[in-house]
Amino acid sequence: GQQVMQIPQYQHVQEGEDFTTYCNSSTTLSNIQWYKQRPGGHPVFLIQLVKSGEVKKQKRLTFQFGEAKKNSSLHITATQTTDVGTYFCAGDSSASKIIFGSGTRLSIRP
Amino acid sequence: DAGVTQSPTHLIKTRGQHVTLRCSPISGHKSVSWYQQVLGQGPQFIFQYYEKEERGRGNFPDRFSARQFPNYSSELNVNALLLGDSALYLCASSLTGHDGYTFGSGTRLTVV
Protein backbone atom coordinates (compact mmCIF):
# COMPACT_ATOMS: atom_id res chain seq x y z
CA GLY A 1 0.00 0.00 0.00
CA GLN A 2 0.92 3.66 -0.25
CA GLN A 3 3.56 4.81 2.24
CA VAL A 4 4.75 8.30 3.08
CA MET A 5 8.08 8.64 4.83
CA GLN A 6 9.43 11.73 6.48
CA ILE A 7 12.89 12.62 7.75
CA PRO A 8 14.31 13.60 10.09
CA GLN A 9 12.13 12.43 12.96
CA TYR A 10 13.40 15.18 15.26
CA GLN A 11 15.29 18.41 14.74
CA HIS A 12 16.56 20.67 17.50
CA VAL A 13 17.88 24.02 16.28
CA GLN A 14 19.09 27.32 17.69
CA GLU A 15 16.62 30.14 17.15
CA GLY A 16 17.54 31.86 13.92
CA GLU A 17 18.88 28.72 12.25
CA ASP A 18 17.20 27.18 9.23
CA PHE A 19 15.16 23.96 9.27
CA THR A 20 14.25 21.48 6.54
CA THR A 21 12.06 18.40 6.55
CA TYR A 22 11.82 15.92 3.67
CA CYS A 23 8.94 13.75 2.56
CA ASN A 24 8.99 10.75 0.20
CA SER A 25 6.05 8.77 -1.14
CA SER A 26 6.16 5.19 -2.42
CA THR A 27 3.64 6.16 -5.13
CA THR A 28 3.14 9.11 -7.45
CA LEU A 29 0.93 11.73 -5.85
CA SER A 30 -1.78 13.93 -7.31
CA ASN A 31 -1.01 16.49 -4.65
CA ILE A 32 0.81 16.87 -1.37
CA GLN A 33 -0.29 18.81 1.66
CA TRP A 34 1.64 20.11 4.66
CA TYR A 35 0.30 20.48 8.16
CA LYS A 36 1.63 21.79 11.47
CA GLN A 37 0.62 20.37 14.83
CA ARG A 38 1.50 22.19 18.02
CA PRO A 39 1.99 20.13 21.19
CA GLY A 40 -1.44 19.14 22.51
CA GLY A 41 -3.16 20.47 19.41
CA HIS A 42 -4.54 19.17 16.16
CA PRO A 43 -3.01 19.35 12.66
CA VAL A 44 -3.47 22.71 10.94
CA PHE A 45 -3.35 22.92 7.15
CA LEU A 46 -0.47 24.97 5.77
CA ILE A 47 -0.44 24.47 2.02
CA GLN A 48 -1.21 22.18 -0.90
CA LEU A 49 1.11 21.57 -3.86
CA VAL A 50 -0.32 20.14 -7.06
CA LYS A 51 2.05 20.70 -9.98
CA SER A 52 5.28 18.87 -10.72
CA GLY A 53 8.24 21.00 -9.59
CA GLU A 54 5.97 23.51 -7.86
CA VAL A 55 7.49 25.88 -5.31
CA LYS A 56 5.37 27.96 -2.96
CA LYS A 57 6.38 30.42 -0.25
CA GLN A 58 4.61 31.59 2.86
CA LYS A 59 6.74 34.24 4.57
CA ARG A 60 9.73 32.26 5.95
CA LEU A 61 8.36 28.88 4.78
CA THR A 62 9.25 27.44 1.36
CA PHE A 63 7.51 24.33 0.06
CA GLN A 64 8.66 22.26 -2.92
CA PHE A 65 7.06 19.40 -4.85
CA GLY A 66 9.41 17.13 -6.74
CA GLU A 67 9.46 16.75 -10.50
CA ALA A 68 8.29 13.15 -10.25
CA LYS A 69 5.56 14.13 -7.77
CA LYS A 70 6.85 11.59 -5.24
CA ASN A 71 8.78 13.84 -2.89
CA SER A 72 8.46 17.19 -1.20
CA SER A 73 10.26 19.43 1.24
CA LEU A 74 9.50 22.21 3.69
CA HIS A 75 12.21 24.72 4.51
CA ILE A 76 11.93 27.32 7.26
CA THR A 77 14.38 30.23 7.15
CA ALA A 78 15.54 31.82 10.40
CA THR A 79 13.40 29.80 12.80
CA GLN A 80 11.48 31.49 15.59
CA THR A 81 10.09 30.01 18.81
CA THR A 82 6.61 30.17 17.29
CA ASP A 83 7.72 27.57 14.71
CA VAL A 84 7.87 24.85 17.40
CA GLY A 85 5.68 21.85 16.60
CA THR A 86 5.49 18.76 14.43
CA TYR A 87 5.35 19.19 10.68
CA PHE A 88 3.52 16.54 8.66
CA CYS A 89 3.35 15.98 4.96
CA ALA A 90 0.26 14.21 3.65
CA GLY A 91 0.17 12.55 0.26
CA ASP A 92 -2.94 12.26 -1.90
CA SER A 93 -2.66 9.55 -4.55
CA SER A 94 -6.26 10.01 -5.73
CA ALA A 95 -7.15 6.70 -4.10
CA SER A 96 -9.48 8.55 -1.77
CA LYS A 97 -7.09 8.32 1.12
CA ILE A 98 -4.69 11.02 2.19
CA ILE A 99 -1.77 9.37 3.95
CA PHE A 100 0.23 11.28 6.53
CA GLY A 101 3.93 10.93 7.10
CA SER A 102 5.30 10.26 10.56
CA GLY A 103 6.19 13.91 11.04
CA THR A 104 9.28 15.92 11.97
CA ARG A 105 9.25 17.40 15.43
CA LEU A 106 10.96 20.78 15.58
CA SER A 107 12.22 22.17 18.86
CA ILE A 108 14.08 25.47 19.21
CA ARG A 109 16.68 26.78 21.66
CA PRO A 110 15.95 30.46 22.37
CA ASP B 1 -18.12 30.30 11.00
CA ALA B 2 -17.87 27.32 13.29
CA GLY B 3 -14.95 25.01 12.64
CA VAL B 4 -15.06 21.25 12.72
CA THR B 5 -16.66 20.14 15.97
CA GLN B 6 -16.12 16.77 17.59
CA SER B 7 -17.79 15.20 20.57
CA PRO B 8 -17.07 14.09 23.16
CA THR B 9 -13.66 15.65 23.80
CA HIS B 10 -12.59 12.92 26.20
CA LEU B 11 -13.89 9.43 26.83
CA ILE B 12 -12.91 6.52 29.05
CA LYS B 13 -14.20 3.08 28.12
CA THR B 14 -13.62 -0.47 29.31
CA ARG B 15 -12.24 -3.23 27.10
CA GLY B 16 -14.99 -4.91 25.11
CA GLN B 17 -17.30 -1.90 25.14
CA HIS B 18 -18.52 0.03 22.15
CA VAL B 19 -17.96 3.72 21.41
CA THR B 20 -19.51 6.29 19.05
CA LEU B 21 -17.63 9.44 18.15
CA ARG B 22 -19.32 12.35 16.40
CA CYS B 23 -18.18 15.02 13.99
CA SER B 24 -19.81 18.06 12.43
CA PRO B 25 -17.94 19.43 9.40
CA ILE B 26 -17.56 23.01 8.35
CA SER B 27 -20.71 24.27 6.63
CA GLY B 28 -20.49 23.53 2.92
CA HIS B 29 -17.88 20.79 3.28
CA LYS B 30 -19.12 17.52 1.84
CA SER B 31 -16.20 15.29 2.76
CA VAL B 32 -15.36 13.95 6.19
CA SER B 33 -12.33 11.83 7.01
CA TRP B 34 -11.42 10.05 10.22
CA TYR B 35 -7.90 9.52 11.54
CA GLN B 36 -6.42 7.80 14.56
CA GLN B 37 -3.36 9.40 16.12
CA VAL B 38 -1.24 7.66 18.72
CA LEU B 39 1.16 9.83 20.72
CA GLY B 40 4.33 10.53 18.79
CA GLN B 41 3.01 9.25 15.46
CA GLY B 42 1.33 10.71 12.43
CA PRO B 43 -2.43 10.47 11.93
CA GLN B 44 -3.44 7.05 10.52
CA PHE B 45 -6.21 7.08 7.92
CA ILE B 46 -9.39 5.21 8.92
CA PHE B 47 -12.20 6.34 6.56
CA GLN B 48 -13.15 8.98 4.06
CA TYR B 49 -16.76 9.82 3.25
CA TYR B 50 -18.03 12.08 0.50
CA GLU B 51 -21.68 12.85 -0.15
CA LYS B 52 -22.69 10.14 2.35
CA GLU B 53 -20.77 7.39 0.56
CA GLU B 54 -17.62 5.68 1.78
CA ARG B 55 -14.85 6.66 -0.60
CA GLY B 56 -11.83 5.20 1.14
CA ARG B 57 -10.93 2.87 3.97
CA GLY B 58 -7.63 2.40 5.76
CA ASN B 59 -6.09 -0.72 7.26
CA PHE B 60 -8.30 -0.98 10.30
CA PRO B 61 -10.28 -4.05 11.44
CA ASP B 62 -14.00 -4.45 10.82
CA ARG B 63 -14.60 -3.36 14.41
CA PHE B 64 -14.28 0.15 13.02
CA SER B 65 -17.21 1.51 11.03
CA ALA B 66 -18.52 4.91 10.11
CA ARG B 67 -21.29 6.70 8.31
CA GLN B 68 -22.12 10.13 7.01
CA PHE B 69 -25.56 11.66 7.37
CA PRO B 70 -27.55 13.83 4.92
CA ASN B 71 -26.38 16.96 6.76
CA TYR B 72 -22.76 15.73 6.19
CA SER B 73 -22.09 15.10 9.87
CA SER B 74 -20.45 11.79 10.61
CA GLU B 75 -20.11 9.09 13.24
CA LEU B 76 -17.23 6.72 13.87
CA ASN B 77 -18.13 3.52 15.71
CA VAL B 78 -15.70 1.14 17.30
CA ASN B 79 -16.88 -2.21 18.68
CA ALA B 80 -15.20 -4.60 21.10
CA LEU B 81 -12.68 -2.01 22.27
CA LEU B 82 -9.10 -3.08 22.87
CA LEU B 83 -6.45 -1.34 24.97
CA GLY B 84 -4.64 -0.55 21.73
CA ASP B 85 -7.58 1.56 20.53
CA SER B 86 -6.58 4.24 23.02
CA ALA B 87 -5.68 7.25 20.92
CA LEU B 88 -6.72 10.67 19.71
CA TYR B 89 -9.42 10.33 17.04
CA LEU B 90 -9.43 13.19 14.59
CA CYS B 91 -12.15 14.20 12.21
CA ALA B 92 -11.27 16.36 9.21
CA SER B 93 -13.58 18.03 6.73
CA SER B 94 -12.91 19.39 3.27
CA LEU B 95 -14.86 20.52 0.23
CA THR B 96 -13.98 17.61 -2.02
CA GLY B 97 -11.74 15.27 -0.03
CA HIS B 98 -8.75 16.20 -2.21
CA ASP B 99 -8.22 19.73 -0.93
CA GLY B 100 -6.80 20.90 2.38
CA TYR B 101 -8.34 19.42 5.49
CA THR B 102 -9.67 21.31 8.48
CA PHE B 103 -9.30 19.17 11.56
CA GLY B 104 -11.40 19.15 14.68
CA SER B 105 -9.78 19.17 18.11
CA GLY B 106 -10.27 15.44 18.38
CA THR B 107 -11.71 12.94 20.83
CA ARG B 108 -9.23 11.49 23.30
CA LEU B 109 -10.28 7.87 23.86
CA THR B 110 -8.80 5.90 26.72
CA VAL B 111 -9.58 2.19 26.97
CA VAL B 112 -8.92 0.61 30.36
Side-chain angles (χ1 to χ4, degrees):
Chain A
Q2 179 191 355
Q3 290 187 326
V4 176
M5 293 142 285
Q6 225 177 315
I7 56 168
Q9 190 175 1
Y10 303 98
Q11 185 106 36
H12 188 57
V13 302
Q14 181 76 40
E15 186 176 13
E17 290 182 338
D18 292 356
F19 159 79
T20 305
T21 173
Y22 300 92
C23 180
N24 284 285
S25 170
S26 59
T27 59
T28 302
L29 301 171
S30 60
N31 71 77
I32 194 155
Q33 300 168 17
W34 285 91
Y35 293 81
K36 177 183 178 181
Q37 186 172 22
R38 293 182 184 273
H42 56 273
V44 174
F45 175 72
L46 295 176
I47 208 161
Q48 182 181 46
L49 304 171
V50 178
K51 299 176 184 174
S52 169
E54 188 170 14
V55 177
K56 285 189 176 180
K57 293 192 176 185
Q58 286 180 350
K59 297 183 180 177
R60 295 178 294 104
L61 279 60
T62 302
F63 303 85
Q64 291 189 314
F65 200 9
E67 294 291 340
K69 300 183 76 172
K70 294 181 74 172
N71 62 287
S72 181
S73 65
L74 158 60
H75 179 83
I76 302 178
T77 304
T79 55
Q80 300 174 358
T81 55
T82 53
D83 296 326
V84 163
T86 301
Y87 292 84
F88 293 100
C89 63
D92 184 354
S93 64
S94 296
S96 295
K97 49 176 78 173
I98 293 182
I99 304 300
F100 278 70
S102 52
T104 296
R105 191 163 82 191
L106 173 63
S107 59
I108 297 175
R109 295 188 296 275
Chain B
D1 268 350
V4 177
T5 57
Q6 291 188 244
S7 62
T9 54
H10 295 82
L11 202 52
I12 300 175
K13 289 285 192 178
T14 305
R15 276 179 298 174
Q17 285 189 314
H18 161 271
V19 69
T20 298
L21 310 180
R22 295 179 174 82
C23 172
S24 292
I26 287 175
S27 178
H29 283 192
K30 298 182 178 181
S31 177
V32 169
S33 297
W34 287 94
Y35 286 82
Q36 180 197 67
Q37 187 175 30
V38 174
L39 194 62
Q41 296 183 18
Q44 298 296 308
F45 173 75
I46 309 176
F47 288 107
Q48 186 187 94
Y49 276 78
Y50 180 76
E51 286 279 18
K52 295 155 281 181
E53 304 237 336
E54 181 186 302
R55 207 157 76 165
R57 174 186 283 254
N59 295 326
F60 280 80
D62 292 344
R63 299 184 295 107
F64 288 76
S65 64
R67 54 181 174 167
Q68 188 178 30
F69 299 100
N71 67 353
Y72 302 111
S73 67
S74 178
E75 283 183 355
L76 175 70
N77 294 283
V78 187
N79 292 323
L81 285 166
L82 303 174
L83 296 178
D85 295 331
S86 296
L88 179 66
Y89 288 85
L90 294 162
C91 171
S93 80
S94 71
L95 283 168
T96 66
H98 294 289
D99 51 321
Y101 283 178
T102 302
F103 280 86
S105 299
T107 295
R108 173 74 60 188
L109 172 65
T110 303
V111 182
V112 296

